[in-house]
Amino acid sequence: MSLASGLEYLAIPGPSVMPEAVLRAMHRPAPNIYEGELVELTQRIIPRLKHVAQTDGYATIYMSNGHGAWEAALANIATRDDRILVAATGRFAHGWAEMARRMGIEVDILEFGDTTPIDPQRLQDHLSQKPSDHYRAVLITHVDTSTSIKNDVARVRDAMAQSKTSALLAVDCIASLGCDRFLMDDWGVDVMVASCQKGLMVPPGLAFVFFNERAAERQRRLEYVSMYWDWAPRANPELFYQHFCGTAPTHHLFGLDAALTLIETEGLDNVIHRHETLARAIWAAADAWGQNGALRMNVEHPNHRSHAVTALRLNAPDGTRLRHWTQTQAGLTLGIGLGMSTPSDPQGDGFFRFGHMGHVNAHMIMGLLGTVQAGFVALDIEHGCGALDAAARVIAQG
Ligand SMILES: *Cc1c(COP(=O)(O)O)cnc(C)c1O
């Protein structure tokens, strides 16, 4: 009999678990969009967003999902027939590349596969063979949510510097902002995109583009920037409505304010540390399960793994069976495998993901792991023992 009735737990890599404080802040009448509270709130939000991104540069807010942030960034980086390079470690890098192509931008892709991060030396070698102004930008994902690979952004920037390229570095932090350490200015990132529904714990609908003076200066020399996506008036509005090129995303701003307060109350360092510890608890459990059974984490080296999402595989179709069981029998929804089908598993039925981003704590992760353990038992999926003990030890050490 199903035991799913009760508090549902959506453990997919976005949208993440919505905090009550965020939902309560959004449950209110519409504010005046011309003056007063909302105007002041927006002005307060901008520096706090920059703190989460660790930048003194510019922050802009768009009413869109992450795909909109991709287009917003591209519209301010390049125009038709300009060339960019995408260093790919999963499905999302390819998504960003496809969007650029559809905007008429010439895209080269450097493929690093689905299990290992960008190799800085290979990137450097590729860039070194080109004239320094060959590419307008190099695009990477900090964390690719399909593979759960985390790239070393500082080393990518270093490789670019060694190659003498003048390209901007643009980073997709949609799955990592507020989860994995990210130092935009220290790491020399020129453009960064994020959205609100993952580590930032707000229902989907807001996207963010951060950029530095270097990127701003390049943007001013572009032949053409479409009006809606133009980041300049959004970053330096003369009138309030220019922040959003129209009506403000009123309720989402109240939600975002509450979410930023949660982050500030806990402290950004603690938020990052919590994500890291919870991720290590998951890895410890996965290692134990894998000792006797088919379960494998997609990314072998811990330094290359996201702290916000973990991609795993079982023998097909056990991934799909497990997801179905946890959802219908226990009220826990796990993430599907995305873009990870193989010749032996064309539907990707072995693959699944845990989302552990944003509003998650120790008891939720122990609950997730315990529920997966129950699923293994119920479905007769072979697994090693001691997984929950291993996770408990990580949690106990904090
Ligand atoms: C979720 C995600 C996206 C896409 O965001 P949407 O809000 O679904 O458009 C892009 N990149 C990464 C790394 C993501 O995790």
Coordinates of all heavy atoms in Angstrom, one line a residue, residues 8-49:
E8 N 5.0 16.2 0.4 CA 5.8 15.8 -0.7 C 7.1 16.4 -0.7 O 7.4 17.5 -0.3 CB 5.0 16.2 -2.0 CG 3.8 15.4 -2.3 CD 3.1 16.0 -3.5 OE1 3.7 16.5 -4.4 OE2 1.9 15.8 -3.6
Y9 N 8.1 15.6 -1.3 CA 9.5 16.1 -1.4 C 9.9 16.0 -2.9 O 10.0 14.9 -3.4 CB 10.3 15.3 -0.5 CG 11.8 15.6 -0.5 CD1 12.3 16.7 -1.2 CD2 12.7 14.9 0.3 CE1 13.7 17.0 -1.1 CE2 14.0 15.2 0.3 CZ 14.5 16.2 -0.4 OH 15.9 16.5 -0.4
L10 N 10.1 17.2 -3.5 CA 10.5 17.2 -4.9 C 12.0 17.4 -4.9 O 12.5 18.4 -4.8 CB 9.8 18.4 -5.6 CG 10.1 18.6 -7.1 CD1 9.4 17.5 -7.9 CD2 9.5 19.9 -7.6
A11 N 12.7 16.2 -5.1 CA 14.1 16.2 -5.1 C 14.7 16.2 -6.5 O 15.5 15.3 -6.9 CB 14.6 15.1 -4.3
I12 N 14.1 17.0 -7.4 CA 14.7 17.1 -8.8 C 15.5 18.4 -8.8 O 15.4 19.3 -8.0 CB 13.5 17.2 -9.8 CG1 12.7 18.5 -9.7 CG2 12.6 16.0 -9.6 CD1 11.7 18.7 -10.8
P13 N 16.4 18.4 -9.8 CA 17.3 19.6 -9.9 C 16.7 20.8 -10.5 O 17.1 21.3 -11.5 CB 18.5 19.1 -10.7 CG 18.0 18.0 -11.5 CD 16.8 17.4 -10.8
G14 N 15.7 21.3 -9.9 CA 15.0 22.5 -10.2 C 13.7 22.3 -11.0 O 13.7 21.5 -12.0
P15 N 12.6 22.9 -10.6 CA 12.5 23.8 -9.4 C 12.8 23.0 -8.1 O 12.5 21.8 -8.0 CB 11.1 24.3 -9.4 CG 10.3 23.4 -10.2 CD 11.3 22.8 -11.2
S16 N 13.4 23.7 -7.2 CA 13.8 23.1 -5.9 C 12.7 23.3 -4.9 O 11.6 23.8 -5.2 CB 15.1 23.7 -5.4 OG 15.0 25.1 -5.2
V17 N 12.9 22.8 -3.7 CA 11.9 22.9 -2.6 C 11.7 24.4 -2.3 O 12.6 25.1 -2.0 CB 12.4 22.2 -1.4 CG1 11.5 22.4 -0.2 CG2 12.6 20.7 -1.7
M18 N 10.4 24.8 -2.3 CA 10.1 26.3 -2.0 C 9.9 26.5 -0.5 O 9.0 25.9 0.1 CB 8.8 26.7 -2.8 CG 9.0 26.6 -4.3 SD 10.3 27.8 -4.9 CE 11.1 26.8 -6.1
P19 N 10.7 27.4 0.1 CA 10.6 27.7 1.5 C 9.2 28.3 1.8 O 8.8 29.1 1.0 CB 11.7 28.6 1.8 CG 12.7 28.5 0.6 CD 11.9 28.1 -0.5
E20 N 8.6 28.0 2.9 CA 7.4 28.6 3.3 C 7.6 30.1 3.4 O 6.7 30.9 3.0 CB 7.0 28.1 4.7 CG 6.2 26.8 4.7 CD 4.9 26.9 4.0 OE1 4.2 27.9 4.1 OE2 4.6 25.9 3.3
A21 N 8.7 30.6 3.8 CA 8.9 32.0 4.0 C 8.8 32.7 2.6 O 8.3 33.9 2.5 CB 10.3 32.3 4.6
V22 N 9.3 32.1 1.6 CA 9.2 32.6 0.2 C 7.8 32.7 -0.3 O 7.3 33.7 -0.8 CB 10.1 31.8 -0.8 CG1 9.8 32.2 -2.2 CG2 11.6 32.0 -0.4
L23 N 7.1 31.6 -0.1 CA 5.7 31.5 -0.5 C 4.8 32.5 0.2 O 3.9 33.1 -0.3 CB 5.1 30.0 -0.3 CG 5.9 29.0 -1.1 CD1 5.3 27.6 -0.8 CD2 5.8 29.2 -2.6
R24 N 5.1 32.6 1.5 CA 4.3 33.6 2.3 C 4.5 35.0 1.9 O 3.6 35.8 1.8 CB 4.6 33.5 3.8 CG 3.8 32.4 4.6 CD 3.9 32.7 6.1 NE 5.3 32.7 6.6 CZ 6.0 31.7 7.0 NH1 5.4 30.5 6.9 NH2 7.2 31.8 7.4
A25 N 5.8 35.3 1.5 CA 6.1 36.7 1.1 C 5.4 37.0 -0.2 O 5.1 38.2 -0.5 CB 7.6 36.8 0.9
M26 N 5.1 36.0 -1.1 CA 4.5 36.2 -2.4 C 3.0 36.3 -2.2 O 2.3 36.7 -3.2 CB 4.9 35.0 -3.3 CG 6.4 35.0 -3.6 SD 6.9 33.6 -4.7 CE 6.4 34.3 -6.3
H27 N 2.4 35.8 -1.1 CA 1.0 35.7 -1.0 C 0.5 37.1 -0.4 O 0.4 37.3 0.8 CB 0.6 34.6 0.0 CG -0.8 34.3 0.0 ND1 -1.4 33.4 -0.8 CD2 -1.8 34.8 0.7 CE1 -2.7 33.3 -0.6 NE2 -3.0 34.2 0.4
R28 N 0.3 38.0 -1.3 CA -0.1 39.4 -0.9 C -0.7 40.2 -2.1 O -0.5 39.7 -3.2 CB 1.1 40.1 -0.4 CG 2.4 40.0 -1.3 CD 3.3 41.1 -1.0 NE 2.7 42.4 -1.3 CZ 3.1 43.6 -0.8 NH1 4.1 43.6 0.0 NH2 2.5 44.7 -1.1
P29 N -1.3 41.3 -1.8 CA -1.9 42.1 -2.9 C -0.8 42.7 -3.8 O 0.4 42.8 -3.3 CB -2.7 43.2 -2.2 CG -2.7 42.8 -0.8 CD -1.6 41.9 -0.5
A30 N -1.1 43.0 -5.0 CA -0.1 43.6 -5.9 C 0.3 45.0 -5.4 O -0.6 45.8 -5.0 CB -0.7 43.7 -7.3
P31 N 1.6 45.3 -5.4 CA 2.0 46.6 -5.0 C 2.0 47.6 -6.2 O 1.9 47.2 -7.3 CB 3.5 46.4 -4.6 CG 3.9 45.3 -5.6 CD 2.7 44.5 -5.8
N32 N 2.1 48.9 -5.8 CA 2.2 49.9 -6.9 C 3.6 49.7 -7.6 O 4.6 49.5 -6.9 CB 2.3 51.3 -6.2 CG 2.3 52.5 -7.2 OD1 2.5 52.3 -8.4 ND2 2.1 53.7 -6.7
I33 N 3.5 49.7 -8.9 CA 4.8 49.5 -9.6 C 5.5 50.8 -10.0 O 6.5 50.7 -10.7 CB 4.6 48.6 -10.9 CG1 3.6 49.3 -11.9 CG2 4.1 47.2 -10.6 CD1 3.6 48.8 -13.3
Y34 N 5.0 51.9 -9.6 CA 5.7 53.2 -10.0 C 6.5 53.8 -8.8 O 7.4 54.6 -9.1 CB 4.6 54.2 -10.5 CG 3.9 53.6 -11.7 CD1 2.6 53.2 -11.6 CD2 4.6 53.5 -12.9 CE1 1.9 52.7 -12.7 CE2 3.9 53.0 -14.0 CZ 2.6 52.6 -13.9 OH 2.0 52.0 -15.0
E35 N 6.1 53.6 -7.6 CA 6.8 54.2 -6.5 C 6.5 53.5 -5.2 O 5.7 52.6 -5.1 CB 6.3 55.7 -6.3 CG 4.8 55.8 -6.0 CD 4.3 57.2 -6.0 OE1 4.9 58.1 -6.6 OE2 3.3 57.4 -5.3
G36 N 7.4 53.8 -4.2 CA 7.2 53.2 -2.9 C 7.9 51.9 -2.7 O 9.0 51.7 -3.2
E37 N 7.3 51.0 -1.9 CA 7.9 49.8 -1.4 C 8.6 49.0 -2.5 O 9.8 48.5 -2.3 CB 6.7 48.9 -0.9 CG 7.2 47.7 -0.1 CD 5.9 46.9 0.3 OE1 4.8 47.2 -0.1 OE2 6.2 45.9 1.0
L38 N 8.0 48.8 -3.7 CA 8.6 47.9 -4.7 C 9.9 48.5 -5.2 O 10.9 47.7 -5.5 CB 7.6 47.6 -5.8 CG 8.1 46.5 -6.8 CD1 7.9 45.1 -6.1 CD2 7.3 46.6 -8.1
V39 N 9.9 49.8 -5.4 CA 11.1 50.5 -5.9 C 12.2 50.3 -5.0 O 13.3 50.0 -5.3 CB 10.7 52.0 -6.2 CG1 12.0 52.7 -6.7 CG2 9.6 52.1 -7.3
E40 N 11.9 50.6 -3.7 CA 13.0 50.4 -2.7 C 13.4 49.0 -2.5 O 14.6 48.7 -2.4 CB 12.4 50.9 -1.3 CG 12.4 52.4 -1.3 CD 11.2 52.9 -0.4 OE1 10.9 52.2 0.6 OE2 10.7 54.0 -0.7
L41 N 12.5 48.1 -2.6 CA 12.8 46.6 -2.5 C 13.8 46.2 -3.6 O 14.8 45.6 -3.4 CB 11.6 45.8 -2.6 CG 11.8 44.3 -2.5 CD1 12.1 43.9 -1.1 CD2 10.5 43.6 -3.0
T42 N 13.5 46.7 -4.9 CA 14.4 46.3 -6.0 C 15.8 46.9 -5.8 O 16.8 46.2 -6.0 CB 13.8 46.8 -7.3 OG1 12.4 46.3 -7.4 CG2 14.6 46.4 -8.5
Q43 N 15.8 48.1 -5.3 CA 17.1 48.7 -5.1 C 17.9 48.0 -4.0 O 19.1 48.0 -4.0 CB 17.0 50.2 -4.8 CG 16.8 51.0 -6.0 CD 16.0 52.3 -5.8 OE1 15.7 52.7 -4.7 NE2 15.8 53.0 -6.9
R44 N 17.2 47.4 -3.1 CA 17.9 46.6 -2.0 C 18.3 45.3 -2.5 O 19.3 44.7 -2.0 CB 16.9 46.4 -0.8 CG 16.9 47.6 0.2 CD 16.5 47.1 1.6 NE 15.3 46.2 1.6 CZ 14.0 46.7 1.5 NH1 13.8 48.0 1.5 NH2 13.0 45.8 1.5
I45 N 17.6 44.7 -3.4 CA 17.9 43.4 -3.9 C 19.2 43.3 -4.7 O 19.9 42.3 -4.6 CB 16.7 42.8 -4.7 CG1 15.6 42.3 -3.8 CG2 17.1 41.7 -5.7 CD1 14.3 41.9 -4.4
I46 N 19.4 44.3 -5.6 CA 20.6 44.3 -6.5 C 21.9 44.0 -5.8 O 22.6 43.1 -6.1 CB 20.6 45.6 -7.4 CG1 19.3 45.7 -8.2 CG2 21.9 45.6 -8.2 CD1 19.2 44.7 -9.3
P47 N 22.3 44.8 -4.8 CA 23.5 44.5 -4.1 C 23.6 43.2 -3.4 O 24.7 42.6 -3.3 CB 23.7 45.7 -3.1 CG 22.4 46.3 -3.0 CD 21.6 46.0 -4.2
R48 N 22.4 42.7 -3.0 CA 22.4 41.4 -2.3 C 22.6 40.3 -3.3 O 23.3 39.2 -3.0 CB 21.1 41.2 -1.6 CG 21.0 42.3 -0.4 CD 19.6 42.5 0.0 NE 19.0 41.5 0.7 CZ 17.7 41.3 0.8 NH1 16.8 42.1 0.2 NH2 17.2 40.3 1.6
L49 N 22.1 40.4 -4.5 CA 22.4 39.4 -5.6 C 23.8 39.4 -5.9 O 24.4 38.4 -6.1 CB 21.6 39.8 -6.8 CG 20.1 39.5 -6.9 CD1 19.5 40.0 -8.2 CD2 19.9 37.9 -6.9

